[in-house]
Amino acid sequence: YVHYDHACGRCRYCLDGDEAACAEYEVMGVQRDGGYAELVVAPAGNIFPLPPGLSAQTAAAAGSVYLTAHHMLFARAGLRAGETVLVTAGGSGVGGAAIALARMAGARVIATASTEEKRERLRAAGVEHVVDYTQPGWPDEVRALAGGGVDVAVEHVGGAAFPGALAALANRGRIVICGATSGSGTEIDLVDVFARQASIIGSSAGSRRELVGVLRLLADGLLAPPVITPVL
């Protein structure tokens, strides 16, 4: 498995195992070439042997999205068993990974999706409640389903979903964000944030230590990412 990150390896963040916080952090396919290459040269430290029983196809399907979701839920949000998690855009890669990891950790999961087809797929994947985020008032629906709000919200959509996900939090809830595909700008009611003691947490890529753990979960069959074979 070729990991996509590049960091200095010397700063306090790298030495602490949080390479994504490094000031020199770069990603293959973004700041560095190689994201779609058939062959690529990578540092030896970016090469990870696959655990026995884990196929290259499964590892390729899971590496980025499951690592991102794992870092969001556990390293950043500190998810605990029995908590309730809201996952926005549950039909996406990161969304699906967050759902699988949260359920594995013993959390209740509520997700949002825009179409009935996606909502049916999420219910089949074990999501307890699926909400249509295109409908007005969906944060209130989430709060009611969670019995007063969710403990953790996994948000990776951006401006279109962030305000609603923040509103769906319970008092002392945590919202962790890793993307802004729908726009990076939004308005926040600061009084609401401090009155409810909400935590807004940024998250980026997971560490190499976490990657080893994710690969182990995949090899043990505790996670099963969907692998879709394209029709040519």
Side-chain angles (χ1 to χ4, degrees):
Y1 182 87
V2 180
H3 192 37
Y4 52 78
D5 77 347
H6 292 263
C8 75
R10 303 179 302 276
C11 69
R12 64 189 179 98
Y13 301 110
C14 288
L15 295 176
D16 194 41
D18 189 10
E19 295 87 1
C22 174
E24 298 180 24
Y25 185 78
E26 295 180 330
V27 175
M28 187 183 299
V30 183
Q31 295 91 350
R32 295 195 176 211
D33 293 338
Y36 288 98
E38 294 183 9
L39 298 173
V40 65
V41 176
N46 285 52
I47 311 301
F48 288 78
L50 296 181
L54 178 59
S55 70
Q57 290 85 352
T58 299
S64 175
V65 292
Y66 277 76
L67 177 60
T68 298
H70 189 283
H71 188 67
M72 294 176 77
L73 285 168
F74 303 115
R76 302 298 291 146
L79 178 66
R80 298 180 290 272
E83 292 191 308
T84 303
V85 177
L86 168 66
V87 178
T88 60
S92 65
V94 171
I99 288 167
L101 287 163
R103 294 188 68 242
M104 182 193 71
R108 294 178 60 204
V109 180
I110 299 171
T112 69
S114 59
T115 68
E116 184 55 32
E117 179 184 0
K118 291 179 181 179
R119 291 191 287 273
E120 283 298 323
R121 220 166 40 232
L122 293 176
R123 293 186 191 102
V127 176
E128 188 169 326
H129 300 288
V130 188
V131 173
D132 183 353
Y133 67 84
T134 67
Q135 297 300 311
W138 71 264
D140 294 330
E141 183 180 355
V142 171
R143 288 182 63 84
L145 291 169
V150 299
D151 302 295
V152 174
V154 173
E155 211 299 278
H156 56 102
V157 176
F162 178 86
L166 181 62
L169 289 181
N171 288 359
R172 298 179 65 180
R174 296 98 71 196
I175 181 168
V176 56
I177 57 176
C178 77
T181 53
S182 69
S184 59
T186 189
E187 291 187 3
I188 299 175
D189 183 342
L190 296 178
V191 174
D192 175 63
V193 171
F194 68 69
R196 292 196 293 133
Q197 300 189 55
S199 298
I200 301 173
I201 305 167
S203 183
S204 53
S207 70
R208 299 179 181 204
R209 186 184 303 122
E210 289 171 300
L211 174 61
V212 172
V214 167
L215 294 176
R216 185 72 264 165
L217 291 172
L218 293 166
D220 290 344
L222 297 176
L223 299 171
V227 178
I228 300 173
T229 302
V231 178
L232 302 178

